[in-house]
Amino acid sequence: QVQLVESGGGLVQAGDSLRLSCVASTRTFSRDAMAWFRQAPRKEYVFVAGITWNGGTNYADSVKGRFTISRDNAKNTVYIQMNSLRPEDTAVYYCAANRGGAVVTTVAPYDYWGQGTQVTVSS
């Protein structure tokens, strides 16, 4: 059974940093594109950042320069380093895997999803 398990969320103040991790049990991890999405209360899923199997990255405009996505294929893990956090970054953060290998900003192409980790940024 494929699982994606996120960790690292929490309650922080504006300007602080957090690093989220996502460990995947997929056998195809090294070839999958991985992404982070977030969902604020009563809002839709929003693309945050994505990374291809060989390290190509894409970011939402709202997080460029503040967030960095990375992966360790030997550990089946994808990370997102979040700096200079703002209250508007408050959301549940989900990692997702796309076996097709492309980083896309919409939800549908992603085959597997984690359960999410809460990030709350106070002002």
Side-chain angles (χ1 to χ4, degrees), residues 60-105:
D61 287 343
S62 60
V63 307
K64 280 180 183 176
R66 299 189 299 125
F67 291 11
T68 303
I69 189 170
S70 61
R71 66 190 296 161
D72 185 339
N73 288 340
K75 295 182 179 180
N76 272 29
T77 302
V78 61
Y79 307 95
I80 188 163
Q81 176 68 41
M82 307 187 295
N83 299 329
S84 303
L85 283 162
R86 305 167 180 168
E88 54 264 39
D89 295 317
T90 295
V92 178
Y93 283 71
Y94 298 89
C95 71
N98 178 8
R99 292 178 301 175
V103 172
V104 293
T105 61

Side-chain angles (χ1 to χ4, degrees), residues 13 18 32 45 56 68 84 97:
Q13 294 186 328
L18 277 176
D32 294 343
Y45 286 90
T68 303
S84 303

